[in-house]
Amino acid sequence: MKKKMLALPAMAATALIVLSGCSVVIEDGPKNQEPTAQGTTAPVTTEPSDEPTEVEETAAPEASDGGDQETEPSDGGSDQETESKLPPLKLTPDEGTLYLRAVQAFSPRLESWVLNEAGDEVHFVEYNCTGQAQHDVYGTLTDYETNDEGEFYTVTWQGPNPQESSTSRTDALEITERIVVPKDAGSDEIASAGSEAVLNQYVGMCKGAGEMAVTFLL
């Protein structure tokens, strides 16, 4: 006995295919073309990696300091550097005898007396710590006399009197090989023949007053 093939309706065929786990794509085309069955493809899932992801670091550019060499801050200079900035001052005259006196004051002063070789003229200069002349005057010596108080010359100044307390143009000076001192002056007003001791004393006064001291040369 022969079995007969039954033609199933389209909806029944579709249900049968779904139950079997397969899908059928039916394309419009000639009726005599058989549908092609395609298997269902599962989506691909990418699992995260356990290894840490390395990030390439970019080195930051180095800041420029404006030059190849570093500039060290100045500390203001030492006493020797400060003195070296001022030109040295020569006190010893080309001729004659030099006498010096250091005067302690708010701004220390250095008195320079130079007696010429002829013994008839004296040159007085008063310097400040930086070597600037604050008072500069010549005097003519006349009328030498000797008495119980000493040996004195009468000096006639060609400008203002070096003694602040006097406005007279004439004075009496005691002058020897070792000292120059105005008559009736105290012992602290004696100018001694130029020596390193007087200069050292004066430089010490300047530094004590916080002022620059020029290098005085004898």
Side-chain angles (χ1 to χ4, degrees):
M1 181 177 178
K2 296 181 180 179
K3 294 180 181 183
K4 294 182 181 181
M5 299 295 294
L6 298 177
L8 296 176
M11 294 181 61
T14 302
L16 180 61
I17 292 172
V18 170
L19 291 176
S20 64
C22 299
S23 61
V24 177
V25 178
I26 301 177
E27 299 178 356
D28 293 338
K31 294 181 178 181
N32 57 355
Q33 183 176 355
E34 296 181 359
T36 302
Q38 296 180 354
T40 303
T41 303
V44 179
T45 303
T46 303
E47 296 182 0
S49 174
D50 295 336
E51 297 180 359
T53 303
E54 295 183 359
V55 179
E56 183 178 355
E57 297 181 357
T58 303
E62 296 182 358
S64 173
D65 59 358
D68 296 335
Q69 298 180 352
E70 297 182 356
T71 302
E72 297 182 357
S74 174
D75 60 356
S78 63
D79 291 341
Q80 293 180 352
E81 292 175 348
T82 302
E83 293 177 8
S84 65
K85 294 179 181 179
L86 299 171
L89 178 62
K90 181 183 177 183
L91 297 176
T92 303
D94 295 334
E95 60 177 32
T97 305
L98 172 68
Y99 303 85
L100 297 175
R101 174 184 172 228
V103 181
Q104 180 68 68
F106 179 77
S107 182
R109 305 188 306 272
L110 179 67
E111 292 182 356
S112 167
W113 302 74
V114 176
L115 178 65
N116 67 355
E117 290 185 349
D120 59 2
E121 185 179 69
V122 63
H123 182 198
F124 174 88
V125 183
E126 183 181 87
Y127 297 100
N128 63 10
C129 291
T130 59
Q132 294 178 333
Q134 304 296 299
H135 194 158
D136 190 336
V137 62
Y138 285 87
T140 303
L141 299 176
T142 59
D143 301 333
Y144 170 79
E145 65 174 313
T146 302
N147 55 35
D148 295 340
E149 297 180 359
E151 300 176 351
F152 296 95
Y153 290 87
T154 298
V155 56
T156 302
W157 299 109
Q158 301 174 16
N161 194 310
Q163 299 186 73
E164 297 178 356
S165 60
S166 177
T167 59
S168 173
R169 286 296 183 96
T170 61
D171 272 328
L173 295 179
E174 181 180 359
I175 302 176
T176 69
E177 293 181 355
R178 297 182 298 106
I179 64 170
V180 171
V181 57
K183 186 178 180 180
D184 300 328
S187 60
D188 59 339
E189 297 183 51
I190 298 176
S192 304
S195 67
E196 290 288 344
V198 177
L199 289 180
N200 292 338
Q201 179 188 13
Y202 181 63
V203 171
M205 290 179 180
C206 292
K207 291 184 178 180
E211 298 188 20
M212 294 184 298
V214 71
T215 301
F216 293 96
L217 303 178
L218 293 177

PDB file of all heavy atoms in Angstrom, residues 33-59:
ATOM      1  N   GLN A  33      10.902  27.312  -6.802  1.00  0.00           N
ATOM      2  CA  GLN A  33      12.197  27.354  -6.086  1.00  0.00           C
ATOM      3  C   GLN A  33      11.972  27.012  -4.640  1.00  0.00           C
ATOM      4  O   GLN A  33      11.080  27.533  -3.998  1.00  0.00           O
ATOM      5  CB  GLN A  33      12.829  28.741  -6.203  1.00  0.00           C
ATOM      6  CG  GLN A  33      14.194  28.804  -5.552  1.00  0.00           C
ATOM      7  CD  GLN A  33      14.829  30.160  -5.762  1.00  0.00           C
ATOM      8  OE1 GLN A  33      14.257  30.990  -6.467  1.00  0.00           O
ATOM      9  NE2 GLN A  33      15.973  30.358  -5.154  1.00  0.00           N
ATOM     10  N   GLU A  34      12.735  26.071  -4.124  1.00  0.00           N
ATOM     11  CA  GLU A  34      12.582  25.619  -2.746  1.00  0.00           C
ATOM     12  C   GLU A  34      13.219  26.614  -1.788  1.00  0.00           C
ATOM     13  O   GLU A  34      14.267  27.183  -2.069  1.00  0.00           O
ATOM     14  CB  GLU A  34      13.245  24.248  -2.570  1.00  0.00           C
ATOM     15  CG  GLU A  34      12.570  23.164  -3.402  1.00  0.00           C
ATOM     16  CD  GLU A  34      13.243  21.824  -3.176  1.00  0.00           C
ATOM     17  OE1 GLU A  34      14.232  21.810  -2.379  1.00  0.00           O
ATOM     18  OE2 GLU A  34      12.799  20.819  -3.747  1.00  0.00           O
ATOM     19  N   PRO A  35      12.591  26.867  -0.632  1.00  0.00           N
ATOM     20  CA  PRO A  35      13.166  27.786   0.367  1.00  0.00           C
ATOM     21  C   PRO A  35      14.445  27.220   0.938  1.00  0.00           C
ATOM     22  O   PRO A  35      14.605  26.013   1.061  1.00  0.00           O
ATOM     23  CB  PRO A  35      12.074  27.889   1.432  1.00  0.00           C
ATOM     24  CG  PRO A  35      11.278  26.626   1.291  1.00  0.00           C
ATOM     25  CD  PRO A  35      11.315  26.254  -0.169  1.00  0.00           C
ATOM     26  N   THR A  36      15.334  28.170   1.288  1.00  0.00           N
ATOM     27  CA  THR A  36      16.640  27.764   1.820  1.00  0.00           C
ATOM     28  C   THR A  36      16.647  27.975   3.323  1.00  0.00           C
ATOM     29  O   THR A  36      16.311  29.061   3.821  1.00  0.00           O
ATOM     30  CB  THR A  36      17.757  28.597   1.217  1.00  0.00           C
ATOM     31  OG1 THR A  36      17.706  28.443  -0.194  1.00  0.00           O
ATOM     32  CG2 THR A  36      19.131  28.194   1.752  1.00  0.00           C
ATOM     33  N   ALA A  37      17.029  26.958   4.059  1.00  0.00           N
ATOM     34  CA  ALA A  37      17.065  27.032   5.535  1.00  0.00           C
ATOM     35  C   ALA A  37      18.437  27.512   5.984  1.00  0.00           C
ATOM     36  O   ALA A  37      19.457  27.063   5.487  1.00  0.00           O
ATOM     37  CB  ALA A  37      16.741  25.666   6.132  1.00  0.00           C
ATOM     38  N   GLN A  38      18.463  28.482   6.940  1.00  0.00           N
ATOM     39  CA  GLN A  38      19.711  28.991   7.507  1.00  0.00           C
ATOM     40  C   GLN A  38      19.702  28.781   9.009  1.00  0.00           C
ATOM     41  O   GLN A  38      18.688  28.954   9.669  1.00  0.00           O
ATOM     42  CB  GLN A  38      19.876  30.490   7.230  1.00  0.00           C
ATOM     43  CG  GLN A  38      20.005  30.827   5.741  1.00  0.00           C
ATOM     44  CD  GLN A  38      20.171  32.300   5.525  1.00  0.00           C
ATOM     45  OE1 GLN A  38      20.071  33.057   6.473  1.00  0.00           O
ATOM     46  NE2 GLN A  38      20.415  32.668   4.284  1.00  0.00           N
ATOM     47  N   GLY A  39      20.846  28.376   9.480  1.00  0.00           N
ATOM     48  CA  GLY A  39      20.947  28.165  10.926  1.00  0.00           C
ATOM     49  C   GLY A  39      21.048  29.485  11.675  1.00  0.00           C
ATOM     50  O   GLY A  39      21.510  30.480  11.158  1.00  0.00           O
ATOM     51  N   THR A  40      20.593  29.490  12.900  1.00  0.00           N
ATOM     52  CA  THR A  40      20.636  30.682  13.751  1.00  0.00           C
ATOM     53  C   THR A  40      22.025  30.835  14.346  1.00  0.00           C
ATOM     54  O   THR A  40      22.532  29.893  14.970  1.00  0.00           O
ATOM     55  CB  THR A  40      19.615  30.580  14.874  1.00  0.00           C
ATOM     56  OG1 THR A  40      18.318  30.398  14.293  1.00  0.00           O
ATOM     57  CG2 THR A  40      19.637  31.822  15.748  1.00  0.00           C
ATOM     58  N   THR A  41      22.695  32.010  14.116  1.00  0.00           N
ATOM     59  CA  THR A  41      24.073  32.251  14.593  1.00  0.00           C
ATOM     60  C   THR A  41      24.032  33.054  15.885  1.00  0.00           C
ATOM     61  O   THR A  41      23.412  34.114  15.944  1.00  0.00           O
ATOM     62  CB  THR A  41      24.882  33.023  13.556  1.00  0.00           C
ATOM     63  OG1 THR A  41      24.861  32.292  12.337  1.00  0.00           O
ATOM     64  CG2 THR A  41      26.330  33.219  14.034  1.00  0.00           C
ATOM     65  N   ALA A  42      24.660  32.512  16.910  1.00  0.00           N
ATOM     66  CA  ALA A  42      24.693  33.210  18.223  1.00  0.00           C
ATOM     67  C   ALA A  42      25.618  34.411  18.140  1.00  0.00           C
ATOM     68  O   ALA A  42      26.645  34.363  17.489  1.00  0.00           O
ATOM     69  CB  ALA A  42      25.178  32.244  19.305  1.00  0.00           C
ATOM     70  N   PRO A  43      25.276  35.537  18.804  1.00  0.00           N
ATOM     71  CA  PRO A  43      26.148  36.738  18.776  1.00  0.00           C
ATOM     72  C   PRO A  43      27.474  36.469  19.484  1.00  0.00           C
ATOM     73  O   PRO A  43      27.533  35.723  20.455  1.00  0.00           O
ATOM     74  CB  PRO A  43      25.323  37.789  19.531  1.00  0.00           C
ATOM     75  CG  PRO A  43      24.404  37.007  20.403  1.00  0.00           C
ATOM     76  CD  PRO A  43      24.061  35.747  19.626  1.00  0.00           C
ATOM     77  N   VAL A  44      28.554  37.101  18.945  1.00  0.00           N
ATOM     78  CA  VAL A  44      29.901  36.917  19.512  1.00  0.00           C
ATOM     79  C   VAL A  44      30.096  37.890  20.657  1.00  0.00           C
ATOM     80  O   VAL A  44      29.928  39.096  20.488  1.00  0.00           O
ATOM     81  CB  VAL A  44      30.980  37.148  18.437  1.00  0.00           C
ATOM     82  CG1 VAL A  44      32.375  36.982  19.047  1.00  0.00           C
ATOM     83  CG2 VAL A  44      30.767  36.176  17.279  1.00  0.00           C
ATOM     84  N   THR A  45      30.441  37.386  21.810  1.00  0.00           N
ATOM     85  CA  THR A  45      30.657  38.221  23.018  1.00  0.00           C
ATOM     86  C   THR A  45      32.137  38.276  23.334  1.00  0.00           C
ATOM     87  O   THR A  45      32.790  37.236  23.433  1.00  0.00           O
ATOM     88  CB  THR A  45      29.902  37.638  24.221  1.00  0.00           C
ATOM     89  OG1 THR A  45      28.509  37.534  23.872  1.00  0.00           O
ATOM     90  CG2 THR A  45      30.081  38.533  25.445  1.00  0.00           C
ATOM     91  N   THR A  46      32.667  39.493  23.464  1.00  0.00           N
ATOM     92  CA  THR A  46      34.089  39.689  23.778  1.00  0.00           C
ATOM     93  C   THR A  46      34.253  39.865  25.281  1.00  0.00           C
ATOM     94  O   THR A  46      33.694  40.790  25.869  1.00  0.00           O
ATOM     95  CB  THR A  46      34.660  40.919  23.072  1.00  0.00           C
ATOM     96  OG1 THR A  46      34.459  40.775  21.670  1.00  0.00           O
ATOM     97  CG2 THR A  46      36.148  41.084  23.367  1.00  0.00           C
ATOM     98  N   GLU A  47      34.977  38.964  25.918  1.00  0.00           N
ATOM     99  CA  GLU A  47      35.193  39.051  27.360  1.00  0.00           C
ATOM    100  C   GLU A  47      36.296  40.064  27.667  1.00  0.00           C
ATOM    101  O   GLU A  47      37.301  40.118  26.974  1.00  0.00           O
ATOM    102  CB  GLU A  47      35.593  37.678  27.909  1.00  0.00           C
ATOM    103  CG  GLU A  47      34.493  36.641  27.751  1.00  0.00           C
ATOM    104  CD  GLU A  47      34.909  35.307  28.364  1.00  0.00           C
ATOM    105  OE1 GLU A  47      36.054  35.276  28.872  1.00  0.00           O
ATOM    106  OE2 GLU A  47      34.130  34.357  28.355  1.00  0.00           O
ATOM    107  N   PRO A  48      36.122  40.914  28.736  1.00  0.00           N
ATOM    108  CA  PRO A  48      37.177  41.895  29.096  1.00  0.00           C
ATOM    109  C   PRO A  48      38.436  41.204  29.569  1.00  0.00           C
ATOM    110  O   PRO A  48      38.384  40.167  30.223  1.00  0.00           O
ATOM    111  CB  PRO A  48      36.514  42.698  30.223  1.00  0.00           C
ATOM    112  CG  PRO A  48      35.478  41.776  30.802  1.00  0.00           C
ATOM    113  CD  PRO A  48      34.965  40.958  29.648  1.00  0.00           C
ATOM    114  N   SER A  49      39.566  41.776  29.202  1.00  0.00           N
ATOM    115  CA  SER A  49      40.863  41.202  29.575  1.00  0.00           C
ATOM    116  C   SER A  49      41.197  41.566  31.012  1.00  0.00           C
ATOM    117  O   SER A  49      40.913  42.659  31.479  1.00  0.00           O
ATOM    118  CB  SER A  49      41.963  41.738  28.644  1.00  0.00           C
ATOM    119  OG  SER A  49      43.226  41.289  29.080  1.00  0.00           O
ATOM    120  N   ASP A  50      41.773  40.603  31.734  1.00  0.00           N
ATOM    121  CA  ASP A  50      42.185  40.841  33.126  1.00  0.00           C
ATOM    122  C   ASP A  50      43.456  41.664  33.214  1.00  0.00           C
ATOM    123  O   ASP A  50      43.772  42.243  34.246  1.00  0.00           O
ATOM    124  CB  ASP A  50      42.403  39.505  33.850  1.00  0.00           C
ATOM    125  CG  ASP A  50      41.084  38.741  33.969  1.00  0.00           C
ATOM    126  OD1 ASP A  50      40.027  39.409  33.934  1.00  0.00           O
ATOM    127  OD2 ASP A  50      41.130  37.511  34.105  1.00  0.00           O
ATOM    128  N   GLU A  51      44.254  41.722  32.150  1.00  0.00           N
ATOM    129  CA  GLU A  51      45.517  42.446  32.180  1.00  0.00           C
ATOM    130  C   GLU A  51      45.258  43.950  32.075  1.00  0.00           C
ATOM    131  O   GLU A  51      44.442  44.374  31.281  1.00  0.00           O
ATOM    132  CB  GLU A  51      46.413  42.012  31.017  1.00  0.00           C
ATOM    133  CG  GLU A  51      46.798  40.547  31.099  1.00  0.00           C
ATOM    134  CD  GLU A  51      47.689  40.148  29.946  1.00  0.00           C
ATOM    135  OE1 GLU A  51      47.955  41.049  29.116  1.00  0.00           O
ATOM    136  OE2 GLU A  51      48.123  38.991  29.884  1.00  0.00           O
ATOM    137  N   PRO A  52      45.968  44.781  32.917  1.00  0.00           N
ATOM    138  CA  PRO A  52      45.765  46.258  32.836  1.00  0.00           C
ATOM    139  C   PRO A  52      46.274  46.821  31.529  1.00  0.00           C
ATOM    140  O   PRO A  52      47.249  46.349  30.965  1.00  0.00           O
ATOM    141  CB  PRO A  52      46.599  46.782  34.018  1.00  0.00           C
ATOM    142  CG  PRO A  52      47.631  45.726  34.242  1.00  0.00           C
ATOM    143  CD  PRO A  52      46.961  44.411  33.924  1.00  0.00           C
ATOM    144  N   THR A  53      45.547  47.797  31.081  1.00  0.00           N
ATOM    145  CA  THR A  53      45.925  48.442  29.818  1.00  0.00           C
ATOM    146  C   THR A  53      46.996  49.485  30.082  1.00  0.00           C
ATOM    147  O   THR A  53      46.834  50.344  30.933  1.00  0.00           O
ATOM    148  CB  THR A  53      44.706  49.138  29.182  1.00  0.00           C
ATOM    149  OG1 THR A  53      43.681  48.166  28.995  1.00  0.00           O
ATOM    150  CG2 THR A  53      45.097  49.775  27.849  1.00  0.00           C
ATOM    151  N   GLU A  54      48.121  49.369  29.414  1.00  0.00           N
ATOM    152  CA  GLU A  54      49.217  50.306  29.586  1.00  0.00           C
ATOM    153  C   GLU A  54      48.962  51.569  28.772  1.00  0.00           C
ATOM    154  O   GLU A  54      48.620  51.497  27.612  1.00  0.00           O
ATOM    155  CB  GLU A  54      50.542  49.677  29.135  1.00  0.00           C
ATOM    156  CG  GLU A  54      50.952  48.495  30.004  1.00  0.00           C
ATOM    157  CD  GLU A  54      52.297  47.944  29.565  1.00  0.00           C
ATOM    158  OE1 GLU A  54      52.840  48.502  28.589  1.00  0.00           O
ATOM    159  OE2 GLU A  54      52.782  46.999  30.182  1.00  0.00           O
ATOM    160  N   VAL A  55      49.112  52.740  29.482  1.00  0.00           N
ATOM    161  CA  VAL A  55      48.923  54.032  28.813  1.00  0.00           C
ATOM    162  C   VAL A  55      50.285  54.680  28.659  1.00  0.00           C
ATOM    163  O   VAL A  55      51.005  54.855  29.632  1.00  0.00           O
ATOM    164  CB  VAL A  55      47.995  54.953  29.623  1.00  0.00           C
ATOM    165  CG1 VAL A  55      47.845  56.296  28.920  1.00  0.00           C
ATOM    166  CG2 VAL A  55      46.643  54.281  29.817  1.00  0.00           C
ATOM    167  N   GLU A  56      50.647  54.994  27.467  1.00  0.00           N
ATOM    168  CA  GLU A  56      51.946  55.608  27.199  1.00  0.00           C
ATOM    169  C   GLU A  56      51.937  57.054  27.671  1.00  0.00           C
ATOM    170  O   GLU A  56      51.091  57.852  27.290  1.00  0.00           O
ATOM    171  CB  GLU A  56      52.247  55.568  25.704  1.00  0.00           C
ATOM    172  CG  GLU A  56      53.634  56.130  25.373  1.00  0.00           C
ATOM    173  CD  GLU A  56      53.922  56.044  23.898  1.00  0.00           C
ATOM    174  OE1 GLU A  56      53.090  55.469  23.166  1.00  0.00           O
ATOM    175  OE2 GLU A  56      54.990  56.534  23.477  1.00  0.00           O
ATOM    176  N   GLU A  57      52.849  57.357  28.615  1.00  0.00           N
ATOM    177  CA  GLU A  57      52.938  58.700  29.162  1.00  0.00           C
ATOM    178  C   GLU A  57      53.869  59.561  28.326  1.00  0.00           C
ATOM    179  O   GLU A  57      54.932  59.120  27.922  1.00  0.00           O
ATOM    180  CB  GLU A  57      53.452  58.658  30.600  1.00  0.00           C
ATOM    181  CG  GLU A  57      52.512  57.905  31.539  1.00  0.00           C
ATOM    182  CD  GLU A  57      53.050  57.921  32.955  1.00  0.00           C
ATOM    183  OE1 GLU A  57      54.150  58.472  33.136  1.00  0.00           O
ATOM    184  OE2 GLU A  57      52.377  57.408  33.862  1.00  0.00           O
ATOM    185  N   THR A  58      53.436  60.778  28.125  1.00  0.00           N
ATOM    186  CA  THR A  58      54.250  61.733  27.359  1.00  0.00           C
ATOM    187  C   THR A  58      54.960  62.667  28.319  1.00  0.00           C
ATOM    188  O   THR A  58      54.315  63.301  29.159  1.00  0.00           O
ATOM    189  CB  THR A  58      53.371  62.561  26.415  1.00  0.00           C
ATOM    190  OG1 THR A  58      52.651  61.672  25.552  1.00  0.00           O
ATOM    191  CG2 THR A  58      54.234  63.510  25.584  1.00  0.00           C
ATOM    192  N   ALA A  59      56.288  62.703  28.251  1.00  0.00           N
ATOM    193  CA  ALA A  59      57.071  63.539  29.175  1.00  0.00           C
ATOM    194  C   ALA A  59      56.770  65.004  28.933  1.00  0.00           C
ATOM    195  O   ALA A  59      56.717  65.462  27.799  1.00  0.00           O
ATOM    196  CB  ALA A  59      58.570  63.275  29.003  1.00  0.00           C
TER     197      ALA A  59
END
